[in-house]
Amino acid sequence: MEENNLTLDELQSKVDHWIKTIGVRYFSEMTNLAVLMEEVGELARLMARKYGDQSFKAGESEKQIPKEIGDILFVLTCLTNQMGYSFNQIITATLEKNTKRDLDRHKNNTKLQSD
């Protein structure tokens, strides 16, 4: 498989171009939110089969997991684009927030300590 190292800005631009040239237009934000939840549910189903107590049904495979992650990222990118947000700004702010909040929290969590 060809390696493709997209930046977050490039990802947003590629999805926007696809929507405008192939997808015709963005679905409404509410429709995309519903589609996102559907895709997350599909990933959850496969994760429950691979890592949980359920077994795969006929036609299901853990090989579908990357496709579902891709579907989630695509729809999340659509939502991000149509609301005018930047993934770069979002993830930078989230990392700063989590660093301030959790600087020592996880290091001090005995549940996370190695045996």
Side-chain angles (χ1 to χ4, degrees), residues 40-95:
V40 169
E42 291 173 6
L43 176 62
R45 183 188 71 245
L46 294 171
M47 298 290 286
R49 309 256 192 287
K50 180 171 181 171
Y51 299 105
D53 298 324
Q54 295 183 334
S55 59
F56 285 100
K57 294 178 182 176
E60 291 181 334
S61 165
E62 68 182 73
K63 292 178 182 176
Q64 294 169 299
I65 290 174
K67 176 207 169 288
E68 297 306 335
I69 293 171
D71 289 347
I72 291 165
L73 185 57
F74 181 85
V75 178
L76 186 60
T77 304
C78 288
L79 279 167
T80 303
N81 284 350
Q82 68 192 125
M83 292 187 293
Y85 295 120
S86 160
F87 271 140
N88 280 313
Q89 291 173 351
I90 290 169
I91 197 63
T92 298
T94 299
L95 286 169

Side-chain angles (χ1 to χ4, degrees), residues 98 101-110 112-113:
N98 290 355
R101 183 190 65 205
D102 300 329
L103 188 60
D104 293 316
R105 179 174 160 231
H106 299 302
K107 289 183 225 172
N108 296 329
N109 183 347
T110 58
L112 298 177
Q113 302 302 313

